[in-house]
Amino acid sequence: MTEKRFNPLPGFRLTLGLSVFYLSAIVLIPIAALFIKALDVSWADFWRLAFNARALAAYKLTFGASLVAALANAVFGTLLAWVLVRYRFPGRRLIDALVDFPFALPTAVAGLTLASLFSENGWLGRFLVPYGIRGAFTPLGVVIALTFVGLPFAVRTLQPVLENFDRGVEEAAATLGAGRLRTFLTVIAPTLVPTIVTGFALAFARAIGEYGSIVFISGNVPYQTEIAPFLIVMRLEEYDYTGAMALAVVLMVCSFLLLAAINWLEHWASHFEKQ
Amino acid sequence: MSIELRHVSKRFGGVEAVSDVSFSMKDGELVALLGPSGCGKTTALRMIAGLEMPTAGDIYIRGQRVNDLSVQKRNVGFVFQAYALFKNMSVFHNIAFGLKVKKWKRGAIEERVSELVMLLDLCGLEKRFPHQLSGGQRQRVALARALAPNPTVLLLDEPFAAVDAKIRQELREWLVHLQYDLKLTALFVTHDQEEAMEIADRIVIFSHGRVEQIGTPREVYESPATEFVARFIGVMNVLDVEVRGGVGRAGELEFPAHGHGEGERFRIGFRPYAVSISSDPSALRYRAVVRHTYFLGVMMRVELELPSGQTIRARVTKEDYARLGLADDREVSFQLREYRLLASEGGLLEPEVAVAREMPPMLGEGI
């Protein structure tokens, strides 16, 4: 920002100052505090607290289930956004409104509902359990709950981009002889990939942090259906603050690295728009 | 016949966008579909491409009825107003797209693309992406992409509307040269009558979904078939005339009654070029004052105000303007050389009535 440039809305310093203050108070200081607190522990203790077998199982479930859920949302969320943007049909507005439902519903309610739905006597579980599909108190249940909470992120990210998509591009491909599949794969999909990746990243980040809905549907069996955030809460309930902190630091570093990787992927996928 | 439309109509819901349109174009012709926005010209173009299906009527390309042929199989080149380039592909791949679809061999594709790159002066830009190009370059890439698979006809939808005036002029010249060099058959849509006059061999004038007139630029300018055409192409003075005392009067201006009875009204129209001006206020029949002068390049348009306050638009060359010593607020006299009777409602125009026919008008800038 150069000083001499005329700006009809002055206040760059003020707004930047406030932004930095806000970001510090809300994000940076708590994170820093967490790291500083974790430094009190010896390396051996940290290793024991953060990487014991139970913790490893919890990380695996948290990141694995989040990844599966976010991938599912990336695929079906794209489809849903496409249908909502491209077609006009009765009930479209209702479906459009329903997409936001997971945003608004308290996650505990969602977890409870899903758990009762997929349990052995539930509406869906009744038909699925005899076939060996157990949607409650299993890792699958965790995936289901995470898919539920992540869906709006995938849909709402892509929707505005699809709405602004130039239909002329599809028509141009058609006049050049390209069929629908070819047009979709070579012309439409590549330009949407960066946005789909963004939606995926948001759904994924949301899933890693999810707690409320999962505690009801997963059953929280150690080594099997226990997620990392639940383990942290358990440690806190045992007044083992150091143990909770160690888990939190690992979770945070992993999240940070994953988000950085996704950001890079996003940048790479949209290489044709930058430089 | 390269393209032929026979009684083609298109309805969108309850609205008839194109109604009973018929026209044809020959091989190697450059034809403009001209009309105000919303007149159905773009819909007509899109129906030829196969991007819209006609509700009624038949479309022929090179003698083949194409109504049931998909867009992909019509082998037309289409250039969009907003370029519609594939932004995820480089210039090379944009141009090569249609060739890859048609499964050309790699060597042949490279050869054809470099040929078009040369032709459209895009050398050195092959590796760039669309966002790194200027508007004029983008539209030239779009042209190259459409031309690459050797289409039967090139269809252009307001191709120069999105670029600034200077680039627009350049692109027009490109199109004319390409059309001449490659013996292209091209049909373009425009709302800009000057653009149509300048580059088209023939113009199809649309209004409210119907064809008003088809003809060469000179024909539609000098012999407009309808009042719509007369007013849309160039400038026209339109006067309401009432018959009083056996003479048709519009303010100070007098005309023969043309068979109208006492008290009846009719309308007449005349072009700015049909007004002769003299710097001597009493030399010609009517007196007036020069109110405004518009500089149009070779031509000057002057607005004459009669004592009653009625204004008339006239046109003189720059040289005449200087020779006559014209200037704003200068008193002059004028006379009409020719005018037309206008039909009361739509309908066809009568031929011109010569008052004192002089040199034929020349087609020039700023008509």
Side-chain angles (χ1 to χ4, degrees), chain A residues 112-126:
Chain A
L112 212 55
T113 313
L114 290 171
S116 58
L117 207 56
F118 286 102
S119 70
E120 241 162 303
N121 302 318
W123 285 358
L124 288 173
R126 190 177 309 175

Side-chain angles (χ1 to χ4, degrees), chain B residues 151-165:
Chain B
T152 319
V153 285
L154 184 64
L155 307 172
L156 307 100
D157 183 10
E158 304 250 2
F160 315 129
V163 291
D164 61 50

Side-chain angles (χ1 to χ4, degrees), chain A residues 165-180 182-183 186-188 190-191 271-275, chain B residues 46 49 51 71-72 76 78 80 82 84-89 94 97-98 100-102 129 131-132 145-146 149:
Chain A
F165 193 84
D166 179 12
R167 298 288 284 265
V169 167
E170 287 160 59
E171 293 179 341
T175 58
L176 290 165
R180 285 179 204 171
R182 188 180 194 118
T183 304
T186 58
V187 176
I188 301 173
T191 54
H271 63 96
F272 51 82
E273 283 177 299
K274 298 189 178 86
Q275 280 166 24
Chain B
R46 290 171 60 85
L51 296 169
V71 198
Q72 285 86 354
V76 295
F78 203 102
F80 295 82
L85 293 178
F86 307 134
K87 62 177 181 175
N88 57 319
M89 295 181 201
N94 263 284
F97 186 87
K100 282 188 203 156
V101 171
K102 294 200 165 58
F129 285 97
H131 79 278
Q132 298 165 309
R145 181 180 68 177

Side-chain angles (χ1 to χ4, degrees), chain B residues 24-43:
Chain B
S24 61
M25 53 191 286
K26 295 187 278 285
D27 276 339
E29 229 184 349
L30 179 57
V31 173
L33 297 183
L34 174 67
S37 50
C39 70
K41 55 195 192 300
T42 293
T43 305

Side-chain angles (χ1 to χ4, degrees), chain B residues 205-225:
Chain B
I205 298 168
F206 269 73
S207 164
H208 298 294
R210 293 177 183 281
V211 172
E212 293 276 328
Q213 189 175 4
I214 304 173
T216 63
R218 199 169 180 124
E219 280 164 6
V220 295
Y221 182 66
E222 290 181 359
S223 328

Side-chain angles (χ1 to χ4, degrees), chain A residues 250-272:
Chain A
V250 173
L251 213 54
M252 206 166 64
V253 169
C254 288
S255 303
F256 182 79
L257 290 178
L258 277 166
L259 285 180
I262 290 168
N263 250 312
W264 176 82
L265 185 68
E266 218 179 294
H267 182 81
W268 173 82
S270 61
H271 63 96
F272 51 82

